[in-house]
Amino acid sequence: MERGKFITIDGVEGAGKSTQIKFICEYLKTKGIHVVLTREPGGTEVGEKIRALLLSNSTGQMHADTELMLMFAARNEHVQNKIMPALERGDWVLSDRFTDSSYAYQGGGRGLDNSRIAQLELWVMQDFTPDMTLLLDVPVEIGMSRVESRGKKDRIEMEAMDFFDRVRQAYIARSKEFPDRIKLIDSSQTIEHTTEQIAVILDTL
Ligand code: Z5A
């Protein structure tokens, strides 16, 4: 049985991940590929409980190291109990966010040293990485304006604009560091424009 492919989609708030995920699943289905859709933090029973703790406003302040370790605790559960078994069955896995989010939010946003994140990455993942990451890039103001009408913000969404600017810059830096894996996609224009770029990239897999 051939191992499935692992695709992740990432980006700042309002970049259009959820919107494009629907297209990606349909597109791969037309090619006869079975896709397991999942998300981070979360994707497993334990992971979803950790997600609730991480995102709930009632959690209050949390040390940045604690936040990082909880992200990786959820990720360990996700990789061991959901992603790996699916790939070994020959399914493809599409994850809404993955380790690049930790480098962007806890590294760029919170200012944690990348070497500390890399230690946890090595522990949890060894040399396992996504086959492809679709990084939807949009200026923070545009992304925020798209999600404004959603109402109540979660614990991380409550951060100030400059936090999200640092997150975006960290994503861009990672796409330059790993140009073969991370495909930077301009998501500032129409939904259709983003979809067209994604279809071209998926055809290369
Ligand atoms: N996090 C972390 O800190 N560290 C980690 O390691 C991990 C995660 C894994 C999870 O949130 C939070 O966890 C996230 C990072 C942190 N925190 N924050 N803040 P999430 O992933 O569950 O939710 P999100 O990132 O906040 O998703 P989102 O805001 O829903 O963004 P989206 O999925 O990219 O957007 P969307 O729902 O597809 O689109 C939003 C709206 O814009 C919607 O009305 C669309 O119709 C519209 N849209 C989309 N594309 C377009 C275009 N091109 N033009 C116009 N309008 C558009």
Side-chain angles (χ1 to χ4, degrees), residues 12-19 40-41 51 55 71 75 96-98 101-102 105-106 146-147 150 156-157 164 187 189-191 194:
V12 294
E13 275 60 34
K17 297 184 307 304
S18 310
T19 308
E40 285 211 347
R51 178 188 177 93
L55 300 187
M71 293 293 177
R75 184 162 299 131
D96 184 347
R97 297 190 178 279
F98 199 61
S101 282
S102 299
Y105 284 79
Q106 283 66 53
R146 289 178 185 166
V147 296
R150 245 186 344 212
I156 298 178
E157 286 168 344
F164 294 103
S187 162
Q189 298 181 49
T190 61
I191 291 174
T194 307

Side-chain angles (χ1 to χ4, degrees), residues 125-195:
M125 325 249 297
Q126 283 120 50
D127 57 357
F128 175 68
T129 51
D131 294 292
M132 179 181 278
T133 296
L134 302 167
L135 173 57
L136 304 191
D137 179 55
V138 69
V140 172
E141 317 78 64
I142 298 181
M144 291 295 182
S145 70
R146 289 178 185 166
V147 296
E148 231 159 42
S149 60
R150 245 186 344 212
K152 204 165 175 277
K153 294 179 172 181
D154 67 35
R155 196 182 62 85
I156 298 178
E157 286 168 344
M158 298 287 279
E159 290 297 331
M161 207 63 143
D162 62 334
F163 173 92
F164 294 103
D165 274 327
R166 293 196 300 277
V167 169
R168 182 183 179 216
Q169 293 314 319
Y171 273 129
I172 293 171
R174 276 190 74 74
S175 73
K176 290 184 177 149
E177 196 178 346
F178 302 101
D180 290 343
R181 173 176 66 85
I182 304 180
K183 310 295 177 193
L184 187 84
I185 294 162
D186 171 21
S187 162
S188 65
Q189 298 181 49
T190 61
I191 291 174
E192 295 70 27
H193 181 256
T194 307
T195 304

Side-chain angles (χ1 to χ4, degrees), residues 29 38 86 150:
K29 218 187 282 173
T38 188
R150 245 186 344 212

